[in-house]
Amino acid sequence: MLLKTPYLLFLGDAVDPLAAKVAQGIKDWRPEYCVGQYRQDGCNADMHIDDLTIAQAIERGAKTLVVGVANRGGVISESWISVFEEALNAGMDIASGLHNLLIDEPRLKTLAEKNGRALIDVRVPQHDYPIANGIKRTGKRCLAVGTDCSVGKMYTALALEQSLKKMGVKSTFRATGQTGILITGNGVPLDAVVADFMAGSVEWLTPDNDADHWDLIEGQGSLFHASYSGVTLALIHGGAPDALVLCHEPTREHMRGLPGYSLPTLEQLRDTALNLAQVVNPDCKVTGISVNTAALNDKEATDLLADIESRMGLPTVDPFRHSADRLAEALA
Amino acid sequence: MLLKTPYLLFLGDAVDPLAAKVAQGIKDWRPEYCVGQYRQDGCNADMHIDDLTIAQAIERGAKTLVVGVANRGGVISESWISVFEEALNAGMDIASGLHNLLIDEPRLKTLAEKNGRALIDVRVPQHDYPIANGIKRTGKRCLAVGTDCSVGKMYTALALEQSLKKMGVKSTFRATGQTGILITGNGVPLDAVVADFMAGSVEWLTPDNDADHWDLIEGQGSLFHASYSGVTLALIHGGAPDALVLCHEPTREHMRGLPGYSLPTLEQLRDTALNLAQVVNPDCKVTGISVNTAALNDKEATDLLADIESRMGLPTVDPFRHSADRLAEALA
């Protein structure tokens, strides 16, 4: 593990619930990691867990203060520093996915060194990764691939893990982005890895395992996104998935951040991703479809899912609305 | 330009001609950059240009001493250091693509700072690159893509540049690897760029240009190589090529460094690369095929090229044996 558990969730002075979405993700997916929350004056987010002081969190065994809040520009605000100093003095590590790094704050760096505590910027790779060797590993792997960025790939993989565990199937979510790393305490910040080592870092993240164990690998980017497609292909070839789940957001008008680029169809995504995945794993299959229907009402969502399911011939769900159970059954 | 020209080629104590292949590349493709060569006792390579002392090279205007030799492990050997010190004192920069970095040698670092000279490790990105924006640029671009790594993609792009210039067509070779950067004095060391910025670095390298100008982009890796495919896809989407040239080495038994992985066919490469390239440039076409026939005799080579040409319906040449003129004509 990169991060020591359990966590104290730092919400700071979050301007609204969205600003605390990292904390919300941890609370939703790893509630057992959370001993409580730390909120400052003016905080407009609430995880509905106990509000604790640093001293109380230490009493409950907290090992890491996790920065679960973001503000404009990803900076570390001045009002947070004294809380972080108190946490370091009390014996906690601090973990953050902010753009401004903890290790670049001299006051925190000095205090962490003095106390023998760790400052963990999950945006920065914490290992030297190997170059991928392409050798087949034992165990099963499932990767979420999207028609675009930010269509629910992380959510889908976390929901799949939950459904598989409920069914008694061994499984592990494998984080490849900073939010996923903070949620699970481990992972690879793939977008920050040097090009030559991308696929190798994914092999490292998903090593040999029991034959009936599933790694649920968090997707990144999209094969159809001009800015990030290389990251996605490294994930497909490093992950060597046995199963692909296609992820889609049906109301998006163009590729995220790329006006003028329309989204591919699910058929295009299926054919392109499968063709490339079979380069390293000829047995790879597309096993299901995950649609983010947040922008639709219940009737629209149900109709759309049924349409796609009949068109594509694959279990099609919105894991947020209806759980990922049917996607998990298709894997098991 | 990243490197100031002209160069003094440093061959050191190269054990054989292969050890000086970087110097050979510069001599072959940019002879006008070379004022001479510097050789030490025991050197078994020769570019057949004037042997110069540091003082003589300065007299002829040399601005950069380029390390054109590699030894086992890519280390900077002790016997080279005093020559590099002399060059720095005489007013030259030093450029190197070795694994051991010039800037990690304290004696060189101190002396370069004192003299206001640059140590340029072309293996290390020398710019902050943007995230790709996918916006169409003016001018034309051609990218070499391979069935595998090390099949002659750099050679093909350099030969294409030469043929186009001979025909009077404006063109620029765009280096994406360390040898190409040393040859041309500019470029992006793509395999060392952080994942999120790969495609953006290629957009940066191939900016808006005259409508009738061709960028000849050096390829990297292969879409079918499990270790490096992500780098290749970033190059395809960042480069937004109008033309793809397929590169192949017909005698290779498995993907380089990956026993157990067979090479794709030229048809598979054509279909996969074109499908992905058309995501950013719907007008992209495959315009020719470059085959490295070094392992074949003349008759075998000619027969193979004719076979492939009739099978694929595309101009097919070995640019080393027969020049890239027919590939260039297909572009122009």
Side-chain angles (χ1 to χ4, degrees):
Chain A
M1 291 284 279
L2 196 60
L3 275 57
K4 292 185 195 143
T5 57
Y7 301 156
L8 173 64
L9 299 184
F10 179 79
L11 274 63
D13 47 0
V15 293
D16 57 22
L18 193 62
K21 71 176 182 177
V22 168
Q24 190 68 53
I26 301 171
K27 165 60 175 24
D28 287 348
W29 297 106
R30 292 293 187 267
E32 70 276 22
Y33 286 0
C34 308
V35 302
Q37 64 186 358
Y38 188 104
R39 300 194 294 166
Q40 295 178 298
D41 288 348
C43 182
N44 290 315
D46 187 356
M47 299 301 120
H48 303 289
I49 55 179
D50 293 345
D51 284 294
L52 303 179
T53 63
I54 296 295
Q56 288 168 331
I58 290 284
E59 269 171 40
R60 296 200 189 180
K63 295 282 192 297
T64 304
L65 178 142
V66 175
V67 182
V69 57
N71 53 19
R72 200 182 289 257
V75 301
I76 297 170
S77 74
E78 192 57 35
S79 75
W80 301 352
I81 301 267
S82 60
V83 181
F84 295 177
E85 288 175 330
E86 190 186 345
L88 289 170
N89 279 328
M92 277 190 251
D93 294 343
I94 305 182
S96 160
L98 294 175
H99 187 82
N100 267 35
L101 303 183
L102 297 168
I103 53 164
D104 288 342
E105 283 292 330
R107 287 169 287 176
L108 298 179
K109 188 154 185 271
T110 306
L111 203 56
E113 279 165 9
K114 184 180 145 212
N115 289 318
R117 301 268 60 88
L119 298 176
I120 304 153
D121 291 293
V122 300
R123 198 177 267 272
V124 179
Q126 308 281 328
H127 289 270
D128 287 330
Y129 305 111
I131 286 177
N133 62 26
I135 295 172
K136 190 165 175 58
R137 287 151 284 160
T138 52
K140 298 281 185 186
R141 284 158 201 88
C142 172
L143 173 66
V145 292
T147 50
D148 193 3
C149 302
S150 307
V151 292
K153 296 186 296 291
M154 183 184 82
Y155 194 99
T156 300
L158 282 162
L160 262 168
E161 182 196 46
Q162 193 173 65
S163 294
L164 285 170
K165 283 194 192 301
K166 209 169 55 186
M167 293 162 60
V169 177
K170 288 180 265 184
S171 62
T172 311
F173 171 81
R174 299 296 189 181
T176 61
Q178 60 210 40
T179 304
I181 296 171
L182 289 172
I183 290 176
T184 60
N186 221 342
V188 168
L190 189 58
D191 61 10
V193 172
V194 165
D196 250 3
F197 304 99
M198 292 186 298
S201 74
V202 182
E203 289 186 347
W204 174 91
L205 181 67
T206 59
D208 279 334
N209 214 317
D210 297 342
D212 57 349
H213 175 279
W214 279 93
D215 273 335
L216 290 321
I217 308 174
E218 181 190 357
Q220 293 294 334
S222 165
L223 288 171
F224 294 86
H225 196 292
S227 314
Y228 307 117
S229 55
V231 181
T232 310
L233 186 52
L235 201 42
I236 291 174
H237 284 170
D242 302 277
L244 295 172
V245 172
L246 311 182
C247 299
H248 186 53
E249 204 285 89
T251 66
R252 199 162 291 178
E253 291 179 353
H254 61 74
M255 296 294 285
R256 189 172 163 90
L258 301 179
Y261 282 84
S262 54
L263 269 70
T265 63
L266 282 162
E267 285 86 345
Q268 286 174 298
L269 174 62
R270 174 195 64 200
D271 295 344
T272 303
L274 192 60
N275 175 40
L276 290 165
Q278 288 179 341
V279 168
V280 292
N281 188 344
D283 297 328
C284 182
K285 290 181 180 56
V286 177
T287 57
I289 300 172
S290 171
V291 182
N292 177 346
T293 63
L296 308 180
N297 68 31
D298 275 347
K299 166 93 172 64
E300 290 166 339
T302 311
D303 288 353
L304 178 71
L305 294 169
D307 278 358
I308 294 174
E309 178 148 343
S310 92
R311 193 180 98 211
M312 303 285 292
L314 289 165
T316 302
V317 304
D318 180 337
F320 184 79
R321 260 187 153 109
H322 312 116
S323 96
D325 289 358
R326 293 185 60 227
L327 300 178
E329 283 158 20
L331 291 187
Chain B
M1 290 285 278
L2 196 60
L3 274 58
K4 291 187 196 142
T5 56
Y7 301 157
L8 173 65
L9 300 185
F10 179 80
L11 274 61
D13 47 0
V15 294
D16 57 22
L18 192 62
K21 69 175 181 176
V22 168
Q24 191 68 54
I26 300 171
K27 165 61 177 22
D28 288 347
W29 297 105
R30 292 290 187 271
E32 69 276 21
Y33 287 180
C34 307
V35 301
Q37 63 185 0
Y38 187 106
R39 299 193 297 166
Q40 296 179 297
D41 287 348
C43 182
N44 290 314
D46 187 354
M47 299 301 119
H48 304 288
I49 54 179
D50 293 346
D51 283 295
L52 303 179
T53 63
I54 296 294
Q56 289 168 329
I58 289 284
E59 269 170 41
R60 295 200 190 181
K63 295 282 192 297
T64 304
L65 179 142
V66 175
V67 182
V69 56
N71 54 18
R72 201 182 288 257
V75 301
I76 296 169
S77 76
E78 192 56 37
S79 75
W80 300 353
I81 301 265
S82 60
V83 182
F84 295 178
E85 288 175 329
E86 191 186 345
L88 289 170
N89 280 328
M92 276 190 252
D93 294 343
I94 306 181
S96 160
L98 295 175
H99 187 81
N100 267 35
L101 303 183
L102 297 167
I103 54 164
D104 288 342
E105 283 292 331
R107 286 170 289 176
L108 299 179
K109 189 154 185 271
T110 306
L111 204 55
E113 279 165 9
K114 185 180 144 214
N115 290 318
R117 300 269 61 87
L119 299 175
I120 304 153
D121 291 293
V122 300
R123 197 177 267 272
V124 180
Q126 307 281 328
H127 289 270
D128 287 331
Y129 304 111
I131 286 178
N133 62 27
I135 296 173
K136 189 164 176 59
R137 285 152 285 158
T138 53
K140 298 281 185 189
R141 285 158 200 87
C142 172
L143 173 67
V145 293
T147 50
D148 193 2
C149 300
S150 307
V151 292
K153 295 186 296 292
M154 184 183 81
Y155 194 99
T156 300
L158 283 162
L160 262 169
E161 183 197 44
Q162 192 173 67
S163 294
L164 285 171
K165 283 193 193 301
K166 208 169 54 185
M167 294 164 59
V169 177
K170 287 180 265 184
S171 62
T172 311
F173 172 81
R174 300 296 189 181
T176 61
Q178 61 211 40
T179 304
I181 296 171
L182 290 173
I183 290 175
T184 61
N186 220 343
V188 168
L190 190 59
D191 61 9
V193 172
V194 165
D196 250 2
F197 304 98
M198 292 186 299
S201 75
V202 182
E203 289 187 348
W204 174 90
L205 181 66
T206 59
D208 279 334
N209 214 317
D210 298 341
D212 57 348
H213 175 279
W214 279 94
D215 273 335
L216 290 322
I217 309 174
E218 180 189 359
Q220 293 294 333
S222 165
L223 288 171
F224 294 85
H225 196 292
S227 312
Y228 307 117
S229 55
V231 182
T232 310
L233 185 51
L235 201 42
I236 291 174
H237 283 169
D242 302 277
L244 295 172
V245 173
L246 311 182
C247 299
H248 185 54
E249 204 285 89
T251 65
R252 200 162 290 178
E253 291 179 354
H254 60 74
M255 295 295 284
R256 190 172 162 88
L258 301 178
Y261 282 84
S262 55
L263 269 70
T265 63
L266 282 162
E267 285 86 345
Q268 285 174 299
L269 174 62
R270 175 195 63 199
D271 296 344
T272 302
L274 191 60
N275 175 40
L276 290 165
Q278 289 180 340
V279 168
V280 292
N281 188 345
D283 297 329
C284 183
K285 291 180 178 57
V286 177
T287 57
I289 301 172
S290 172
V291 183
N292 178 345
T293 62
L296 309 180
N297 68 31
D298 276 345
K299 166 94 172 63
E300 290 167 339
T302 311
D303 288 353
L304 179 71
L305 293 170
D307 278 358
I308 294 174
E309 177 149 344
S310 93
R311 194 179 98 212
M312 302 286 292
L314 288 165
T316 303
V317 304
D318 180 338
F320 185 79
R321 263 189 151 107
H322 311 116
S323 94
D325 289 356
R326 292 185 61 227
L327 300 178
E329 283 157 21
L331 290 187

